Amino acid sequence: MIIFLAVIGVLGVSASGPIMAATAAPALAIAFWRNALGAVIMGVPTAVRNPGGFTRLSRAETKWTLIASLALALHFACFITSLKLTSVAAATALVCLQAGWIAIFSLFRGIHVAPRVLAGLGAALAGVVVITGFDLTLSREAALGDLLAVAGGALAGLYTIAGGKARATMSTGTYTSLCYGLCSVILLLLCVIFGQPLVSFPPEAWLGILAVTVVAQILGHSVFNHLLAVISPLVVSMIILLEIPGAAILAAVFLGEQLPAGTYGGLALILAGLAVVVTGQGRRAARTGALPPAPPALGGEIEK
């Protein structure tokens, strides 16, 4: 059963990139509707089970949830825009660098990072250079998409850290509902500021928005939330890395993406480097007794 759920989860998150890239709607609008619908789907059952959970927030919970929501909104804005500019495979691999960004943020916070993790970071960053270099030869637009995906990964890392602080005392349902809801409000403001429409899309675009909400936001992320309750967060983090080759394969099959051979080398470097980073963080956690952070899109570790 766990293997079956893991496959469903990987397929869900892997499919999100190709679906969003193919959806004929503005990037900010896709992000808004994805989070707004996710907030309703997650929030209604949570409110029924624990109606007071949304009103008994401490100052620390409120602060970290706000920070996480802002980081998540900007993450989606950068990532979905990058999918419109560069290849799905490149954008997915570069945004998955959040595990590496967490290690980098740890360095700035004065937390010791093992040489093994630094080596993995070096390999992953080399992969970034390879992908961006090949994309720069294709077009400046593709290179800009790469930079936005890298920024999206950094924001996802910040989201993970802030979410971990908030989730120390909040349930998965309460945190996820509030975070998705606040994220959608921020994205709504961004849509107004940049003049991006929220409606009047063709039926195919609405199907794409609904598909990414169900496939990625509900099936993919919710499945991983369940897996975090029954297996190690380290194992879940490693499983999620399969999103990189998964998205590349799905984009090649359904969108007909053809990439330079060197780009696949960059993808392999990022995947190998992040695997070393995640396992290195897991070894440190085993020594200190602290669990590694949950993947950023999941909203925490287990239901409290």
Side-chain angles (χ1 to χ4, degrees):
M1 177 58 73
I2 289 177
I3 295 176
F4 173 76
L5 289 175
V7 171
I8 293 297
V10 169
L11 287 175
V13 296
S14 297
S16 64
I19 292 172
M20 289 188 290
T23 299
L28 292 176
I30 296 173
F32 165 75
W33 285 112
R34 171 179 176 169
N35 282 277
L37 293 172
V40 172
I41 294 171
M42 296 295 295
V44 170
T46 301
V48 171
R49 289 195 308 267
N50 183 23
F54 296 111
T55 59
R56 295 194 298 264
L57 299 180
S58 67
R59 181 176 297 181
E61 289 171 343
T62 302
K63 179 184 74 172
W64 289 115
T65 301
L66 286 171
I67 293 173
S69 301
L70 177 60
L72 183 62
L74 295 177
H75 156 75
F76 276 124
C78 289
F79 177 46
I80 300 178
T81 302
S82 75
L83 289 167
K84 305 289 186 178
L85 299 175
T86 188
S87 66
V88 171
T92 302
L94 295 172
V95 85
C96 280
L97 286 167
Q98 65 256 31
W101 281 108
I102 291 171
I104 292 173
F105 292 153
S106 296
L107 280 173
F108 284 110
R109 294 161 64 197
I111 300 173
H112 174 71
V113 176
R116 174 190 178 90
V117 173
L118 293 176
L121 277 174
L125 292 176
V128 172
V129 173
V130 170
I131 289 176
T132 305
F134 277 96
D135 278 356
L136 190 58
T137 63
L138 298 176
S139 70
R140 292 184 179 180
E141 187 177 78
L144 175 60
D146 292 344
L147 293 177
L148 285 172
V150 171
L155 288 161
L158 177 60
Y159 167 57
T160 300
I161 295 171
K165 297 283 188 180
R167 279 284 287 111
T169 53
M170 297 174 68
S171 71
T172 298
T174 301
Y175 169 74
T176 304
S177 303
L178 286 174
C179 193
Y180 287 170
L182 290 169
C183 176
S184 66
V185 171
I186 296 169
L187 288 165
L188 177 61
L189 293 175
L190 290 176
C191 286
V192 172
I193 292 171
F194 290 101
Q196 291 200 2
L198 292 170
V199 291
S200 302
F201 305 139
E204 296 81 6
W206 286 113
L207 286 176
I209 290 170
L210 289 174
V212 76
T213 301
V214 173
V215 172
Q217 204 88 355
I218 305 304
L219 286 181
H221 297 162
S222 295
V223 164
F224 282 126
N225 261 327
H226 173 72
L227 290 177
L228 283 165
V230 295
I231 60 178
S232 164
L234 173 63
V235 176
V236 175
S237 297
M238 290 297 292
I239 293 173
I240 287 181
L241 291 183
L242 294 175
E243 179 183 358
I244 296 175
I249 293 171
L250 291 175
V253 172
F254 293 103
L255 300 181
E257 277 196 355
Q258 295 182 351
L259 306 176
T263 299
Y264 289 106
L267 295 178
L269 274 173
I270 290 176
L271 183 60
L274 290 180
V276 172
V277 169
V278 171
T279 55
Q281 290 175 332
R283 290 187 177 187
R284 180 181 181 276
R287 290 195 301 270
T288 61
L291 291 173
L298 306 182
E301 293 156 5
I302 59 176
E303 183 76 41
K304 292 183 182 295

